C-alpha cells in the first residue's frame, strides 16, 4: 500500500470486532436526525474533473477508486432508505476521484452544511 499504510492499521485484521463497531452501514441508524449529504461520481473521466492533467490522472487509478466509492455510497444510501433516514444522495455521470469532483460536490453540499451548522 502507498506510504506503508494498509487497512489493518485501522482496527487490526478483519475478524476484529472493531471493524463492525466502526462500519457506517451497520451503524447507519445512529445517523438519525443528522443532516446527511452523500455523493459520488461514476468513475468516468469528464469535464468535472478539471483540466487535462487531472482527467489523465483520474484515468489511472482515480476512476477505479471513484467507481468503488459510488458502489459503497449507493449501499449506504440504500441502508439509510431502509431505516427511513432522510438524506440527499447525488450521483454524477462523470467524475473520477479528483479535486474537481470534490470541489463540485463541496459546493453542492454547502447549502445543507450551512443550514446544519447555522452558517450563512
Amino acid at each position: 500500500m502507498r506510504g506503508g499504510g494498509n487497512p489493518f492499521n485501522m482496527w487490526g485484521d478483519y475478524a476484529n470486532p472493531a471493524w463492525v463497531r466502526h462500519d457506517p452501514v451497520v451503524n447507519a441508524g445512529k445517523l438519525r436526525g443528522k443532516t446527511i449529504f452523500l455523493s459520488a461520481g461514476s468513475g468516468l473521466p469528464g469535464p468535472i474533473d478539471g483540466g487535462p492533467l487531472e482527467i489523465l490522472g483520474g484515468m489511472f487509478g482515480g476512476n477505479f477508486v471513484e467507481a468503488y466509492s459510488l458502489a459503497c455510497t449507493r449501499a449506504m444510501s440504500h441502508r439509510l432508505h431502509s431505516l427511513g433516514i432522510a438524506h440527499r444522495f447525488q450521483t454524477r455521470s462523470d467524475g473520477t476521484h479528483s479535486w474537481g469532483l470534490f470541489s463540485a460536490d463541496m459546493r453542492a453540499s454547502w447549502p445543507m452544511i450551512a443550514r446544519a451548522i447555522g452558517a450563512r
Side-chain angles (χ1 to χ4, degrees):
M1 297 277 171
R2 192 165 122 189
N6 68 64
F8 307 114
N9 288 346
M10 291 189 287
W11 300 295
D13 67 58
Y14 293 128
N16 188 324
W19 279 95
V20 174
R21 285 196 311 269
H22 292 92
D23 185 320
V25 177
V26 170
N27 294 289
K30 296 177 182 176
L31 296 172
R32 191 173 305 283
K34 307 290 185 209
T35 300
I36 304 167
F37 182 95
L38 305 172
S39 63
S42 67
L44 297 173
I48 199 164
D49 293 309
L53 287 179
E54 192 137 26
I55 290 172
L56 183 62
M59 291 169 51
F60 295 98
N63 53 343
F64 297 114
V65 171
E66 196 62 28
Y68 186 71
S69 295
L70 176 58
C72 294
T73 305
R74 186 171 281 131
M76 182 63 163
S77 179
H78 288 299
R79 174 75 169 139
L80 292 169
H81 258 318
S82 76
L83 296 171
I85 296 176
H87 65 285
R88 180 173 169 200
F89 178 33
Q90 178 173 303
T91 61
R92 297 180 182 276
S93 60
D94 65 345
T96 63
H97 208 70
S98 68
W99 284 112
L101 178 63
F102 172 79
S103 178
D105 285 344
M106 193 67 214
R107 282 191 304 279
S109 67
W110 177 245
M112 283 182 73
I113 294 169
R115 279 191 306 278
I117 65 173
R120 295 182 185 260

